[in-house]
Amino acid sequence: DKKDVIGVYGYDNQVIALEYKYSRFFNEELEISKNNFIEENSYNRSELITKLEKDLDGYGNTKQLKSLGIKSDALDYCESLGKNWYIPSSGELKKVFKNQLRINITLQYLGMPQIDFRRFWSSTLESSKYAWACCSNGGGWGDGFLYFRVSYFDYVLPFLEL
């Protein structure tokens, strides 16, 4: 694994990279079963958010995308960091954003870069053309955590499975 990537220990044996990159998720439409999607139009708003929160397997999602031979700048970036780096799921990103203020206070104390308030790709798919991206405007679920259905450019915040 690359030794120069600085990360912070998150939860459940995961490290969150402090280096993120603006990248494209989809280079092509995916050839993947509809069972792998959390489609926006299939659920009411409350059900949709519950489904997105419960997806906590970014490592498995990323592994599946790789096994399908998906071409993605976001996947390439994670692979460039070394073995076991992956695109987090929607639920994993929610946990980071929910604790973002605490994480950033710790990082500031250590003199390290903080996690920015940006929109990040998740490995949770909405359809064969869209993935879910997540952002926060204040670091807490109750004060502005949002999900977006996107297909083009956003930031990827890699996680490392230990």
Side-chain angles (χ1 to χ4, degrees), residues 95-106:
K95 285 184 177 187
V96 170
F97 284 126
K98 188 174 181 180
N99 294 293
Q100 186 174 2
L101 293 176
R102 282 186 221 135
I103 292 169
N104 281 344
I105 288 168
T106 302

Side-chain angles (χ1 to χ4, degrees), residues 29-95:
E29 187 168 344
L30 304 180
E31 303 262 342
I32 189 169
S33 166
K34 195 172 181 174
N35 295 336
N36 296 302
F37 304 147
I38 299 179
E39 293 180 291
E40 185 172 25
N41 297 329
S42 298
Y43 306 97
N44 68 41
R45 184 83 179 138
S46 175
E47 291 171 329
L48 176 64
I49 288 175
T50 299
K51 294 276 283 178
L52 291 169
E53 288 175 356
K54 286 185 177 181
D55 183 4
L56 298 171
D57 191 16
Y59 185 75
N61 295 348
T62 302
K63 198 171 175 181
Q64 179 186 26
L65 291 169
K66 287 180 188 177
S67 74
L68 294 168
I70 301 304
K71 293 185 184 344
S72 163
D73 295 340
L75 285 172
D76 291 346
Y77 177 58
C78 289
E79 284 185 358
S80 77
L81 299 176
K83 187 178 177 186
N84 294 335
W85 285 94
Y86 67 94
I87 301 169
S89 68
S90 52
E92 289 170 320
L93 283 171
K94 180 211 170 194
K95 285 184 177 187

Side-chain angles (χ1 to χ4, degrees), residues 23 25 87-88 93 120-122 131-132 150-155:
S23 67
F25 192 93
I87 301 169
L93 283 171
F120 292 105
W121 286 114
S122 81
W132 289 100
V150 291
S151 66
Y152 207 57
F153 284 95
D154 259 314
Y155 289 88

Side-chain angles (χ1 to χ4, degrees), residues 2-28:
K2 260 181 131 175
K3 303 283 187 232
D4 60 340
V5 174
I6 299 170
V8 62
Y9 182 77
Y11 59 91
D12 299 335
N13 290 325
Q14 294 153 329
V15 172
I16 303 159
L18 297 180
E19 182 179 296
Y20 44 85
K21 183 178 181 181
Y22 193 61
S23 67
R24 184 170 43 186
F25 192 93
F26 292 105
N27 293 0
E28 60 191 40

